[in-house]
Amino acid sequence: MSPGEAAFDFTGRVALVTGAGRGIGHAIAQALLETGAEVVGVSRTDESARRLAQLDPEGERLVSFAADVASEQAAEEAVGAALTRFGRLDILINNAGQRSKRGPISELDISDWDEVQATNVRSMYLFCRAAERPLREAGPGYVVNVGSLAGFFGIGYAAAYSASKGAVAQLTKSLAADWASSGIQVNAVAPGYIETDMNADLRRDDPDRARAFGERIPLGRWGRPDDVVGPVLFLCTPAAGYIHGVVLPVDGGVLAR
């Protein structure tokens, strides 16, 4: 039984999840389905969209498609799919993200910088903008943005990524201030070192560095996608009704040091 299945009930709720084809986003989409929600999942590739669709082979409670999340059209189509298929939108999980190429900023191409900002920040702006009206009408609506510990401290040789995750934190706080009176709660989670496809090459090719990262974690291990699921789902419930504009670390205690 997953953490989401054990603790939450989202029957009758409709959620939109970006970056749902793998890693944390896939785990969140799966948990939402397990807890009764209807889900629209947006993935980067056709392959990842097909993998997501396997969570609901009959397609009764899941719409899965591939799109560039930095596209205004993709945001509008995803929100439209939720409204057309399920009649409402209650929850938006902005999870899509990508790493930057590591290296000094003098060697970072402008195109690399722009691509990271587009995926990690522009997409959140577009999906929040497209979802505002239906989230307000659902009352209450919930937005959870997935950031990173890089929003709290800089990561060497990752200027584009660190800047983007700092922007996620500030976008979350700004929207929380803007939307408080509209019945939309906006929060973020900031995962620490989580075992996903995004960092599989690091764990495979540089085990010493991966082990050094692990040694920084007071709980003594890297996190797993399921470790992020519970906090995300919690922030989409009335139990979190007085939590607003928060960036919640999910890091095994890294920031405690």
Side-chain angles (χ1 to χ4, degrees):
M1 180 177 291
S2 74
E5 189 178 4
F8 303 102
D9 183 2
F10 286 92
T11 303
R13 300 293 183 176
V14 179
L16 169 56
V17 184
T18 69
R22 63 178 189 171
I24 292 171
H26 190 275
I28 292 170
Q30 181 175 3
L32 284 164
L33 288 168
E34 290 173 350
T35 54
E38 294 164 316
V39 176
V40 175
V42 185
S43 306
R44 182 185 296 272
T45 66
D46 290 334
E47 179 183 359
S48 58
R50 286 192 294 270
R51 184 166 58 246
L52 176 65
Q54 292 172 7
L55 295 177
D56 181 24
E58 302 301 321
E60 295 179 353
R61 293 193 295 115
L62 172 65
V63 175
S64 175
F65 65 95
D68 176 5
V69 292
S71 160
E72 183 176 4
Q73 180 178 353
E76 293 175 350
E77 288 181 353
V79 171
L83 299 177
T84 300
R85 180 68 183 279
F86 303 121
R88 59 187 294 142
L89 180 62
D90 302 273
I91 297 167
L92 171 62
I93 310 295
N94 279 310
N95 167 77
Q98 71 177 70
R99 292 190 308 177
S100 58
K101 294 181 179 178
R102 288 185 58 80
I105 195 168
S106 59
E107 298 176 7
L108 179 67
D109 290 342
I110 293 175
S111 60
D112 292 333
W113 172 277
D114 288 345
E115 183 178 358
V116 171
Q117 307 313 314
T119 301
N120 294 2
V121 185
R122 174 184 165 93
S123 69
M124 291 192 179
Y125 152 69
L126 291 173
F127 275 79
C128 284
R129 189 179 69 172
E132 178 183 4
R133 180 185 58 78
L135 288 172
R136 184 174 64 247
E137 292 174 352
Y142 300 93
V143 176
V144 179
N145 298 323
V146 178
S148 166
L149 291 188
F152 290 90
F153 55 79
I155 297 177
Y157 298 110
Y161 182 78
S162 296
S164 73
K165 293 305 183 178
V168 168
Q170 295 308 316
L171 175 62
T172 299
K173 295 173 184 179
S174 180
L175 289 178
D178 289 348
W179 289 355
S181 62
S182 299
I184 303 173
Q185 285 182 237
V186 188
N187 291 290
V189 295
Y193 303 111
I194 308 294
E195 295 178 349
T196 67
D197 292 346
M198 187 180 293
N199 54 51
D201 56 342
L202 166 65
R203 291 180 284 113
R204 180 187 63 244
D205 301 334
D206 196 347
D208 290 340
R209 185 161 167 257
R211 185 166 50 253
F213 285 158
E215 291 172 352
R216 301 177 189 175
I217 305 170
L219 285 184
R221 65 171 176 86
W222 281 54
R224 295 178 290 270
D226 280 348
D227 290 317
V228 186
V229 167
V232 169
L233 268 58
F234 164 69
L235 290 172
C236 298
T237 69
Y242 206 59
I243 301 175
H244 193 56
V246 164
V247 182
L248 174 65
V250 185
D251 65 354
V254 172
L255 288 182
R257 288 182 168 174

